[in-house]
Amino acid sequence: MKVHVYAYSDLRYDPRILKQCRLLIELGYDVSFFGVKFAGSAPCSEVSSCDFFRRAHTLKTQVLQYFLFVLHMSYVSFQLPKKPCLVIVHNMPNFLSLGTWFYRVLQVPVVMDLHDDSLLVLGSRVKNSLTLRLISFIEMNVALRFADHIITVNSAMKDRICRFVCSEKVSTIHNAPDFYHQTARQITKPLREDVIRLVYVGNLGEQFGVIEFIEMFDRLGDMVNCRLELDIWGGGRLEGLLADEIIRLGLADRVLLRGRYTPEELPSILDAYDFGIAVYNKNPLSDILLPVKVLEYVSCGIPVISSRINTLLDYFPEDCLFYYRDISDIVVALSSSREDVDEKVERSRDILDSISWEREKLVFKSLVEKVIH
């Protein structure tokens, strides 16, 4: 049985889509992925994929590509020699689901997986109120209802989505990584030494406070009386601006932009660092996030220094992560004893156990079977 998966994303760099496709293949489904690609991205050997075009860097061009992608989805559905048993669409945006209209005519069930709350994302980018109201209506009142079932990535997002569709139509499958070190990494070196290595992984977008963190980075080294190094892994619209800011602040010897990475590379990348950084500008969009980067740090046994955002606090209380309000809280985290760090790591991993991919993939498997049959 065939399953078609659509996303305005590069399969090779999207761990949520990739692990779902892998699981579907393990279950015996013939999976075809239709998406976009980043410049220089290598083909994915595991999943049959068709990259419609290279993903744009600017917001205006991305919006144009969204509409072209919806048309492409309709075109693909017309060309089918045999209809699939299931179609899965990943946002953003939600209105990608409208491209499945011909599948719906053929009575093929459609599942929509919401990685982000598009209403909050669009609200942070679209300033014209009339345009925003129109887009919001399409995104939340039309596109969501077009799908047979909706998946969200955390309970807070599910609560928001249930304002627009009935709760029986919505499930939560947490975005925990599919790698997991069964024994917490032992910190074999003292935390206070000549160099403390920090890492940030993930998207470099406007909603993240990476620039603000870099601006206070220079002062941090003096306050903890040792050398700090920060490696930033990932890509996004702010990558060029970050590079300029690092040079302007004279931090090029201590803050490095490492570029994009694949999900398979991440465990070995993270193993080299002492603390994982999760920084966010405080707003309604960040408050609804359960950051994947935090789950990845925890999975690898790395202590986490994070902004205080509501949904993350709901899942991981104060005694699990090093939350900060200002630079003094970060200094306290970097100056913590090994025992304190290890206790937080252990408690955070206990929580991750309850939402691990090993558990969540059973929910996904059950959902797929239910929707198909």
Side-chain angles (χ1 to χ4, degrees):
M1 293 188 292
K2 291 190 68 68
V3 175
H4 284 187
V5 180
Y6 290 89
Y8 184 78
S9 182
D10 190 324
L11 174 65
R12 305 145 193 84
Y13 294 94
D14 194 313
R16 183 173 179 86
I17 303 175
L18 187 56
K19 67 192 176 190
Q20 288 183 8
C21 288
R22 285 171 173 162
L23 178 58
L24 289 168
I25 292 171
E26 288 177 15
L27 296 173
Y29 295 98
D30 180 7
V31 179
S32 295
F33 175 80
F34 302 88
V36 297
K37 66 178 295 185
F38 295 124
S41 178
C44 180
S45 58
E46 300 174 73
V47 182
S48 172
S49 61
C50 176
D51 302 313
F52 182 37
F53 40 50
R54 182 179 296 178
R55 180 166 171 163
H57 291 288
T58 65
L59 180 59
K60 288 183 179 179
T61 311
Q62 283 184 0
V63 171
L64 174 61
Q65 287 188 344
Y66 289 159
F67 287 101
L68 293 175
F69 193 72
V70 169
L71 294 176
H72 176 63
M73 292 170 66
S74 300
Y75 172 78
V76 170
S77 65
F78 277 125
Q79 302 300 311
L80 293 175
K82 183 180 179 181
K83 69 178 184 180
C85 66
L86 175 67
V87 174
I88 302 176
V89 181
H90 295 261
N91 86 334
M92 290 213 8
N94 294 350
F95 74 74
L96 292 183
S97 68
L98 303 182
T100 65
W101 68 271
F102 190 65
Y103 290 107
R104 299 304 306 272
V105 171
L106 298 175
Q107 296 185 319
V108 177
V110 175
V111 171
M112 185 154 199
D113 192 335
L114 305 183
H115 299 213
D116 298 290
D117 187 317
S118 66
L119 189 58
L120 292 177
V121 173
L122 292 167
S124 68
R125 297 177 182 175
V126 179
K127 304 307 178 185
N128 184 291
S129 59
L130 180 60
T131 302
L132 181 59
R133 285 200 296 270
L134 175 60
I135 295 174
S136 298
F137 178 79
I138 295 172
E139 284 288 279
M140 310 308 286
N141 295 89
V142 179
L144 290 184
R145 295 176 182 177
F146 207 75
D148 293 284
H149 199 86
I150 296 168
I151 301 173
T152 65
V153 293
N154 63 60
S155 56
M157 186 180 292
K158 179 180 178 180
D159 290 343
R160 278 184 55 82
I161 297 304
C162 287
R163 293 160 46 192
F164 301 93
V165 296
C166 63
S167 59
E168 291 79 10
K169 189 178 176 178
V170 186
S171 299
T172 297
I173 297 178
H174 297 92
N175 204 6
D178 58 353
F179 58 82
Y180 189 72
H181 295 184
Q182 294 301 323
T183 303
R185 186 189 67 160
Q186 296 300 311
I187 302 173
T188 57
K189 56 185 179 181
L191 290 176
R192 294 296 305 276
E193 57 173 28
D194 293 340
V195 179
I196 296 178
R197 302 197 69 200
L198 312 179
V199 64
Y200 173 95
V201 301
N203 186 24
L204 301 176
E206 295 87 347
Q207 66 267 41
F208 307 109
V210 185
I211 290 181
E212 291 79 2
F213 187 82
I214 288 175
E215 288 173 347
M216 64 179 170
F217 185 80
D218 195 34
R219 289 185 293 147
L220 272 175
D222 295 332
M223 296 174 74
V224 298
N225 197 30
C226 73
R227 178 181 172 87
L228 297 179
E229 294 179 354
L230 171 64
D231 283 359
I232 299 173
W233 292 84
R237 282 190 294 273
L238 294 187
E239 193 169 356
L241 183 60
L242 280 171
D244 294 340
E245 190 69 5
I246 289 168
I247 293 172
R248 185 185 72 80
L249 295 171
L251 297 173
D253 62 326
R254 285 171 286 166
V255 180
L256 299 178
L257 294 174
R258 295 289 191 175
R260 296 190 186 276
Y261 56 89
T262 63
E264 292 80 12
E265 296 170 326
L266 194 54
S268 59
I269 288 172
L270 293 180
D271 198 50
Y273 299 98
D274 301 304
F275 287 89
I277 305 299
V279 288
Y280 295 88
N281 298 320
K282 179 74 171 177
N283 54 48
L285 174 57
S286 62
D287 271 335
I288 203 170
L289 298 176
L290 178 59
V292 179
K293 61 176 60 63
V294 171
L295 305 183
E296 291 167 339
Y297 299 150
V298 171
S299 183
C300 285
I302 298 177
V304 181
I305 298 174
S306 175
S307 306
R308 300 177 63 86
I309 52 178
N310 291 351
T311 300
L312 184 59
L313 277 160
D314 289 341
Y315 279 86
F316 293 90
E318 301 267 3
D319 61 353
C320 295
L321 310 180
F322 289 102
Y323 289 105
Y324 74 90
R325 289 188 176 88
D326 53 38
I327 193 170
S328 63
D329 294 327
I330 300 176
V331 172
V332 170
L334 296 175
S335 305
S336 298
S337 67
R338 175 175 171 176
E339 290 75 18
D340 188 22
V341 168
D342 286 349
E343 286 177 5
K344 284 186 180 291
V345 168
E346 197 61 39
R347 284 192 286 265
S348 63
R349 287 170 62 86
D350 288 342
I351 292 171
L352 183 61
D353 281 340
S354 66
I355 58 172
S356 68
W357 176 240
E358 287 301 308
R359 293 174 181 262
E360 298 296 86
K361 71 180 183 181
L362 300 178
V363 180
F364 181 73
K365 175 178 178 290
S366 176
L367 173 61
V368 168
E369 293 172 347
K370 178 181 177 181
V371 171
I372 292 176
H373 302 295

